Each structure stands twice: as C-alpha cells, then as structure tokens.
Amino acid sequence: MQDRDSEIIKLFFERSEDAVSRAGFKYGSYLKSIARRMLRDERDVEETVQDAFLAAWDSIPPNRPDDLGAYLGRLVRNAAIDRAKLNSRKKRGGGEAALVLDEIAELVPGGTEPEEALAGSDLAETINGFLKGLPQRKRRLFVQRYWYFMGEREIAEENLMAPAAVRMQLSRTRRELKAYLAKEGYVYE
Amino acid sequence: MNNDEILKAIGDIDRSYVDEAKPRGKRRFVRAVSTAAAALILVAGLGIVLPKIIGNTPDDKADRTAYATPDTKGADGSQYGDAKNAPVDPPETFGGMKGTVPGFSISLVTLAEAASRHEFIAAVRINGKADADRYSPVDVTECFAGSLPESILVRFPIAGDVIMANEYNRTVADVVLERGGECIVFLDRMTDGTDRFFAAEIIWHESDGSARTLSIRDIEGSTYSAIITALPGVIRDNPYKAPIE
C-alpha cells in the first residue's frame, strides 16, 4: 500500500532518506511521464527526476506542500525545462519542450526587459487571470500544451480535433496571452 | 523576462486548471469512438439494447428527414436557396444514444427555424474526407445573426472554394465563438463537385440521459469523422444542390 502524502512529508521534515525513496515509489512513474514528454533521452529523463527529488529534499522543509504530487510535478517540469534549454544550446534533442520554448518565445520581446516586470509568482498569478477568462476548452488546450507539454497530435486525439485546428487555437491563444501580458506590463508590443 | 520564465510560471498556475486539463485516456477513447460507432461497439458489446439502437438508425427516419433549405433572405433582399424544398415535418433527432453512452445527435432544423431559435448561427464547410488529415475538417467560415442585421449578415462560401485551416476566417469565427453560436449550417462538398447545405443543432447526450445543445465553441475543430458519422444517412446520401453564387 502506498504512503499517504502527509507521511512522506513528515519523513522529509525528519530528514529521513526514506522520504525520497517512498516519494519515488509513489510518484516516480508520474514524474517520469512528465519528463518524457519534454525530453527525448531516457538518461535525461532519469536525471531530471533525480534533480526534482533533490530539489524537493532541499525545499521541504521549509515548504510543506498541500499536494505532494503537484509539487513534485512542478519541480520535475522546471528541471526538464532547464535541461531542454541546455540541450537546445548543445544542439541535442530537446523533445517537445524545445518546441514549446520556441512557441513561448513569441511572447517575449527581444532585448529590453520591462521595468514593471514582476516576480515569477506574480507572473503566474497574471497567467491565472488570463486563463480564468478563457473558455474551458481553449484553456484545456493551452494547459495541455504548455503545462503537460503534450504534442499537437496527442492534444488533437484527446480533444477530438484535427491537429491543424489545435495549432490554430494555440496560436490564437498565444497572441491573446501576449496582448494580456502587455496590458499587465510584462511585454512590449 | 525570457521564455523559460514564462514556462515556469505556467508551471505555477492554479492547480484546478491543471486538473481540468489532465489527459484522460479512457474518456478520450469513449469520445473518440462516440456517435453511432460508439453506441454500436459498446452497447452491442454488452448485448443489451441492440435492437433499440438498430431501430434508431438514420435510415429508419430517412423519409421524414427535414432538409434545411437555404430560405433565409439576405439583408440586401437576395434569396438563398429554394423555398419550394422547405421541409414539412418538424425537426427530427437522429442517432442519439440517450441514456446509454455519451454521444452526438443531430436535430435538423430549417435555416428559418434556426434563425428564430438562435441568436447566432455559424456556417461551416465540411471538407472532403481526403482533406481531413491535412486541414481542419470543420471550419467555421461564416456566421449569421438570427435577426440578420446588415452588419453581421454574410454570405455562403463561394462554390469551388476549399477552405483550408490556414485560411481560417478568424474574424468571423471569433464573433461566433464569443457569442456562442448554437446552430450550425453545414456546407458539404459532394464527390460530383456540387455543394449542399443544411442546418443542424448538435446535441450532446450524457450517459445519465441528460442532453445539451453544443455551442460552436464545443464543436469547433472536431474531426470530420466525429461529425459526419453522427449525420443521418439521408444527408450523406442525398445531395441537395444548393444554388450558391
């Protein structure tokens, strides 16, 4: 039987190394599935998951996540983004994440950074505000692409859409997000 | 701000949005094979109500199908279609899986009925099946306001056009999406090169027996097969040659 999150988090707080092994037993497959979407090389996947557990070890305590799965998912996602970016610089296959990074680059102006740019957590709040205003279907497509890093074809199958329609919707949503971020002072048009 | 900062910030979005978008393989399967095919596979597999399903096949009601005729007058007084072909029967519902598995059903209505019952109507073109893999098979190409004010009235696509995904009419589609059109007008290209069109309300049936009319927002981008298999046979097999200018 799997441990409850509260028991695993307690082990983290006690600085017991069992915390990592039990978290790995419970969430290892889930975390690898996230990393695999973003990275092609299985070694990168393994290392990224290990990086995420290390980051969890370093951050719990002081953090006490309400949802350990989501917390670890976010850590592995961020670790995979860093690795994909590194791979991209080294001209190695960055998987879906490299494509997504290119798409997101549309939102970012070259050069100047806005003085009003806020901290990362505020940016997430701003994006939450944007997502709140989207129709559910459109929001789901966006999150599936940019949170789950699903490929266009996979999203299309999931939502009974044609891949071209997915691409079109995502392109439109990116434009809307760019305008929204500009309105909030993040990006120069 | 750089692109990975944005991506990482997306990683911190509200958990409810992440849960909402969580891929669900089982649901995907049910939806992917929804419509008549799903009803046949799932219900026949259980061996329960097959006769009922057979009794609800499109052909059974073919003779009573209400073709939607393009009898809507444009703002400039021009007339689309031929009023003589106006249906005499009330709208019929086809292919539904009420109370069994989720799926589409189609309720055919005339354009005039559609105009009176819905604030906005979207016209879509169903491209040929061969295009389905390459192009968005159901493209919202035009929209009609129920009251047909001049500012919104638009025309049917010109015969001979092939509306491709990259020629998607975003302006019109945005209007439709924003206002939540509920009724769609299909324009279907036949193998002989003729076009035909009809109006339909698309109804989604939940497994608990409840049903709701899908908006354009729900249906936009759905695959050709998902829509076309839900259509009554009479629509597929009996082209109506629409006088499209």
Side-chain angles (χ1 to χ4, degrees):
Chain A
M1 189 174 159
Q2 290 188 331
D3 293 303
R4 288 192 304 192
D5 281 0
S6 58
E7 290 165 357
I8 298 173
I9 289 169
K10 187 166 171 255
L11 290 172
F12 271 109
F13 269 81
E14 290 169 356
R15 310 312 289 161
S16 165
E17 290 180 8
D18 278 354
V20 173
S21 59
R22 292 191 185 185
F25 181 72
K26 185 171 183 181
Y27 292 111
S29 302
Y30 165 66
L31 299 179
K32 280 183 185 173
S33 72
I34 293 174
R36 271 194 200 102
R37 281 210 174 88
M38 303 155 77
L39 301 162
R40 291 189 186 129
D41 191 323
E42 193 61 26
R43 284 170 304 178
D44 281 346
V45 170
E46 291 285 347
E47 286 174 20
T48 299
V49 171
Q50 291 309 316
D51 288 348
F53 282 127
L54 185 62
W57 180 258
D58 288 341
S59 58
I60 308 173
N63 294 340
R64 187 183 288 274
D66 294 330
D67 182 338
L68 184 59
Y71 186 81
L72 293 171
R74 188 164 59 82
L75 290 177
V76 81
R77 193 179 170 282
N78 287 349
I81 291 168
D82 288 339
R83 192 167 290 267
K85 205 171 175 187
L86 186 69
N87 287 349
S88 180
R89 280 200 212 107
K90 290 179 179 175
K91 306 290 181 195
R92 288 167 55 192
E96 204 65 35
L99 298 174
V100 168
L101 280 167
D102 284 346
E103 290 171 15
I104 288 292
E106 292 174 15
L107 305 176
V108 183
T112 321
E113 194 162 323
E115 289 175 6
E116 301 85 355
L118 302 172
S121 60
D122 291 327
L123 176 57
E125 276 311 302
T126 303
I127 294 172
N128 274 334
F130 170 74
L131 292 174
K132 190 177 178 186
L134 285 183
Q136 188 191 34
R137 181 182 173 93
K138 212 166 174 180
R139 184 166 61 226
R140 204 168 69 224
L141 298 184
F142 183 86
V143 175
Q144 286 181 339
R145 179 65 175 156
Y146 300 112
W147 200 99
Y148 286 100
F149 286 71
M150 289 167 66
E152 285 172 355
R153 186 162 292 278
E154 192 181 3
I155 296 172
E157 287 172 6
E158 173 78 18
N159 294 279
L160 270 187
M161 294 172 73
V166 170
R167 194 174 313 129
M168 205 157 48
Q169 279 277 14
L170 288 172
S171 169
R172 192 187 304 169
T173 308
R174 283 199 304 275
R175 280 202 307 275
E176 289 168 7
L177 175 57
K178 184 176 183 177
Y180 189 88
L181 289 175
K183 199 182 77 180
E184 297 292 322
Y186 279 94
V187 181
Y188 288 122
E189 288 276 25
Chain B
M1 182 167 59
N2 57 41
N3 52 359
D4 59 330
E5 278 175 318
I6 294 178
L7 270 188
K8 286 179 179 173
I10 291 172
D12 290 333
I13 59 172
D14 195 299
R15 184 69 193 168
S16 63
Y17 298 145
V18 178
D19 290 340
E20 175 186 83
K22 195 172 184 179
R24 283 166 288 180
K26 190 177 177 184
R27 182 184 62 95
R28 180 175 61 189
F29 171 76
V30 171
R31 290 193 62 193
V33 295
S34 63
T35 71
L40 212 56
I41 293 167
L42 296 178
V43 180
L46 293 171
I48 303 173
V49 287
L50 187 57
K52 187 178 172 185
I53 295 295
I54 292 170
N56 197 27
T57 54
D59 287 341
D60 187 45
K61 295 179 178 177
D63 292 342
R64 290 179 285 135
T65 297
Y67 258 118
T69 53
D71 55 356
T72 305
K73 278 189 178 179
D76 59 354
S78 61
Q79 181 95 16
Y80 295 109
D82 181 357
K84 285 187 293 187
N85 289 328
V88 292
D89 287 345
E92 296 279 359
T93 299
F94 295 91
M97 281 71 75
K98 290 174 186 170
T100 53
V101 295
F104 292 114
S105 73
I106 306 270
S107 178
L108 295 180
V109 293
T110 65
L111 282 183
E113 285 169 332
S116 68
R117 283 158 55 172
H118 302 279
E119 188 184 359
F120 280 90
I121 308 164
V124 300
R125 174 189 291 271
I126 299 177
N127 289 334
K129 210 165 189 173
D131 289 334
D133 291 338
R134 289 183 58 202
Y135 307 125
S136 177
V138 178
D139 295 328
V140 177
T141 55
E142 309 285 1
C143 73
F144 297 82
S147 56
L148 300 175
E150 284 186 40
S151 59
I152 298 184
L153 177 69
V154 288
R155 59 175 174 70
F156 281 106
I158 298 168
D161 280 355
V162 176
I163 308 297
M164 298 189 296
N166 58 1
E167 293 173 351
Y168 190 82
N169 189 332
R170 292 192 178 88
T171 305
V172 173
D174 281 343
V175 170
V176 175
L177 291 171
E178 260 175 36
R179 306 196 188 195
E182 288 181 336
C183 181
I184 56 181
V185 178
F186 289 102
L187 175 70
D188 201 359
R189 174 67 44 81
M190 302 307 294
T191 51
D192 65 2
T194 59
D195 287 331
R196 59 195 165 86
F197 53 96
F198 53 91
E201 291 173 317
I202 307 261
I203 301 165
W204 177 260
H205 296 282
E206 299 288 358
S207 53
D208 63 3
S210 62
R212 66 189 172 91
T213 303
L214 293 182
S215 69
I216 291 300
R217 188 178 291 117
D218 293 315
I219 209 80
E220 189 203 32
S222 294
T223 55
Y224 178 88
S225 58
I227 300 297
I228 204 72
T229 55
L231 298 179
V234 68
I235 289 296
R236 282 172 288 175
D237 302 335
N238 296 286
Y240 171 74
K241 191 174 179 181
I244 297 171
E245 296 174 0

